[in-house]
């Protein structure tokens, strides 16, 4: 086990006459035994970060430590990490038993009996004991992924690195494997960095979530902290499903005035002092449809989810989404009135996107504000 410390990591790829800054000046610490999820849109530098931690890429600048060891100059094989990829890359001609034990045979001095014991114990942990003599092609996607995990676990590494390991599985299996993987990680207590582009997966799995955009770390914190107190508009938009509703509003004294007649009276104007325009954000669950609401919008579609309805509405050119009571089912084309509490309002600087006010101004414990650009 190990704590991971990443200091000022920059990775630049030179391809021909072009330089691509894949990761820029990243500072990040992962605690011993922690499950940290790196999340962000495609191309934001997640895999590159993971590959640098793994030693599959040299860093351009910066340093990496695992516990007391500076591993920056070490090859991947010397770092004591195990990786699990989206592509399981099992050896097709080997049985499950051979696939799981192969790395140990190559890289350790364990005897055949010791390897066998470790393989069987891991197989039992993953519920694949019955499959030990099967070949990969006889297995389902979920079973193959378990074997790939087994191959990583059996090595008892200091660090697990996982790059979208569940994205080849169908939705139901993915949700099941998420839970299993979390339980497994808690039992094993191995420091884990997990990469995904899926914010739902990040929120569900991470002890902490690190959000990246364009090679730059935006924010690190526990899922609920990132959700309630995003440092900027990018994080607010990226985290949460359906996404936060955003619109631009002018400020006149204590009034916010937006598109299509939108207006909102602030009781506390501290956060908007010195601003004439802001970006206004409200989460779908914070919008209430009520006859005495101060604003109105036109319903375009209502999607029943069973336990709630998603109500999509038009406010001028803006689409708004509200998560509403399942018994409430306004018709398409109907004009409805809505409201939301000031406590639930997010406000962002119209130019930089930096947060001026978040859902609760009391900072959640453990939340860290990183670079926001
Ligand atoms: P993510 O995992 O978030 O999708 P990546 O880390 O794979 O993002 O990529 C970050 C950026 O670096 C992208 O612009 C990508 O095109 C570029 N990149 C990644 N690998 C290489 C490479 N081997 N050579 C050149 N550019 C690369």
């Amino acid at each position: 086990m190990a704590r991971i410390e990443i200091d000022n990591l920059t990775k630049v790829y030179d391809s021909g006459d072009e330089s691509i800054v894949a990761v820029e000046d990243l500072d990040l610490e992962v605690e011993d035994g922690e499950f940290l999820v790196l999340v962000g849109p495609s191309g934001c530098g997640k895999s590159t970060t993971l590959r640098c931690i793994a030693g599959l890429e040299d860093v351009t600048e910066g340093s990496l430590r695992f516990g007391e060891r500076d591993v920056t100059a070490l090859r991947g094989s010397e770092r004591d990490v195990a990786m699990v990829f989206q592509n399981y890359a099992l050896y097709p001609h080997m049985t499950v038993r051979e696939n799981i034990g192969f790395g140990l045979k190559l890289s350790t001095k364990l005897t055949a009996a010791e390897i066998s014991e470790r393989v069987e114990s891991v197989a039992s942990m993953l519920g694949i004991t019955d499959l030990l003599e099967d070949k990969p092609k006889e297995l389902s996607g979920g079973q193959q992924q378990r074997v790939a995990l087994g191959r990583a676990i059996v090595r008892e590494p200091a660090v697990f690195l996982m790059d979208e390991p569940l994205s080849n599985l169908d939705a139901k299996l993915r949700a099941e494997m998420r839970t299993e993987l979390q339980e497994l990680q808690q039992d094993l207590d191995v420091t884990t960095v997990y990469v995904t582009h899926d914010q739902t997966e990040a929120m569900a799995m991470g002890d902490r979530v690190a959000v990246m955009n364009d090679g730059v770390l935006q924010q690190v914190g526990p899922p609920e902290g990132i959700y309630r107190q995003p440092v900027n508009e990018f994080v607010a938009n990226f985290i949460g499903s359906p996404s936060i509703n955003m619109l631009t509003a002018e400020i006149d004294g204590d009034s916010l005035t937006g598109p299509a007649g939108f207006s909102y009276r602030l009781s506390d104007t501290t956060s908007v002092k010195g601003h004439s325009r802001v970006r206004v954000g409200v989460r779908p669950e914070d919008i209430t449809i009520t006859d005495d609401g101060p604003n109105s919008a036109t319903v375009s579609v209502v999607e029943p989810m069973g336990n709630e309805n998603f109500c999509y509405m038009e406010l001028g050119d803006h689409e708004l989404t509200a998560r509403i009571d399942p018994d409430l089912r306004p018709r398409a084309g109907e004009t409805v009135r809505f409201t939301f509490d000031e406590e639930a309002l997010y406000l962002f600087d119209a130019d930089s996107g930096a947060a001026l006010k978040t859902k609760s101004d009391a900072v959640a414990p453990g939340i860290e504000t990183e670079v926001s650009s």
Side-chain angles (χ1 to χ4, degrees):
M1 284 191 290
R3 178 169 185 272
I4 304 173
E5 195 178 320
I6 304 171
D7 281 319
N8 304 110
L9 169 67
T10 294
K11 175 67 187 177
V12 181
Y13 289 109
D14 285 311
S15 49
D17 41 33
E18 212 192 356
S19 285
I20 296 165
V21 183
V23 180
E24 192 178 345
D25 205 14
L26 173 71
D27 279 321
L28 186 61
E29 283 165 22
V30 190
E31 296 305 325
D32 197 1
E34 186 178 25
F35 194 117
L36 181 110
V37 180
L38 270 182
V39 71
S42 181
C44 73
K46 309 178 292 291
S47 293
T48 301
T49 303
L50 202 72
R51 292 171 62 81
C52 288
I53 301 173
L56 297 171
E57 301 281 357
D58 293 332
V59 307
T60 309
E61 272 176 56
S63 67
L64 286 154
R65 300 178 76 83
F66 290 175
E68 296 304 307
R69 285 192 304 154
D70 187 326
V71 299
T72 320
L74 297 185
R75 287 203 301 269
S77 56
E78 299 165 327
R79 291 192 186 184
D80 198 13
V81 299
M83 264 191 108
V84 185
F85 298 95
Q86 172 179 359
N87 173 355
Y88 327 123
L90 302 177
Y91 299 108
H93 60 286
M94 291 185 190
T95 62
V96 168
R97 178 188 293 280
E98 289 162 342
N99 263 289
I100 297 179
F102 187 63
L104 291 181
K105 209 164 130 186
L106 280 189
S107 63
T108 67
K109 294 194 174 65
L110 295 176
T111 65
E114 286 166 331
I115 290 177
S116 198
E117 196 178 310
R118 254 160 84 168
V119 169
E120 280 164 26
S121 142
V122 166
S124 149
M125 192 186 289
L126 292 165
I128 52 173
T129 304
D130 294 350
L131 308 176
L132 277 172
E133 312 313 326
D134 291 351
K135 296 272 175 64
K137 68 173 186 312
E138 297 168 73
L139 310 180
S140 69
Q143 290 168 335
Q144 290 191 31
Q145 189 52 280
R146 282 200 175 83
V147 178
L149 277 173
R151 208 169 38 180
I153 293 168
V154 82
R155 292 179 41 203
E156 300 178 1
V159 171
F160 281 134
L161 302 173
M162 305 195 181
D163 196 347
E164 307 253 4
L166 306 184
S167 54
N168 279 348
L169 306 178
D170 67 50
K172 186 162 180 291
L173 192 55
R174 199 159 66 219
E176 279 169 26
M177 286 292 287
R178 248 187 224 163
T179 319
E180 252 183 59
L181 202 58
Q182 271 174 293
E183 286 170 0
L184 204 61
Q185 195 269 347
Q186 273 162 22
D187 290 347
L188 296 168
D189 206 24
V190 175
T191 312
T192 302
V193 183
Y194 184 103
V195 160
T196 179
H197 65 277
D198 177 349
Q199 63 86 27
T200 315
E201 195 160 288
M203 296 292 279
M205 296 184 83
D207 292 328
R208 284 188 310 151
V209 176
V211 185
M212 292 182 74
N213 184 33
D214 225 358
V216 179
L217 179 66
Q218 305 289 307
Q219 188 169 9
V220 193
E224 66 280 8
I226 298 265
Y227 185 80
R228 292 180 68 85
Q229 288 145 20
V231 291
N232 59 28
E233 191 177 334
F234 174 82
V235 176
N237 267 315
F238 192 77
I239 300 291
S241 174
S243 296
I244 191 169
N245 298 293
M246 294 292 310
L247 49 87
T248 304
E250 310 295 323
I251 298 169
D252 183 9
D254 59 359
S255 283
L256 298 173
T257 314
F262 173 87
S263 70
Y264 195 85
R265 180 69 58 89
L266 294 172
S267 65
D268 181 352
T269 56
T270 325
S271 59
V272 295
K273 274 219 169 69
H275 293 264
S276 56
R277 277 169 77 227
V278 286
R279 297 276 291 160
V280 177
V282 189
R283 298 268 182 208
E285 65 272 27
D286 293 322
I287 293 187
T288 306
I289 293 182
T290 169
D291 288 342
D292 55 8
N295 285 289
S296 62
T298 309
V299 175
S300 45
V301 182
V302 177
E303 284 179 358
M305 293 287 136
N307 61 333
E308 62 183 352
N309 290 340
F310 290 170
C311 178
Y312 298 96
M313 306 180 286
E314 281 162 15
L315 177 74
D317 294 339
H318 280 69
E319 185 171 79
L320 297 182
T321 311
R323 292 168 63 167
I324 58 174
D325 194 278
D327 299 328
L328 198 60
R329 196 146 181 202
R331 291 182 311 281
E334 192 179 331
T335 298
V336 291
R337 303 200 71 81
F338 66 93
T339 188
F340 49 86
D341 289 342
E342 190 167 333
E343 185 275 330
L345 192 69
Y346 296 74
L347 297 171
F348 301 93
D349 186 285
D351 299 317
S352 71
L356 304 171
K357 174 194 180 304
T358 57
K359 196 159 169 173
S360 160
D361 280 322
V363 172
I367 193 157
E368 251 174 71
T369 325
E370 285 287 343
V371 193
S372 62
S373 60

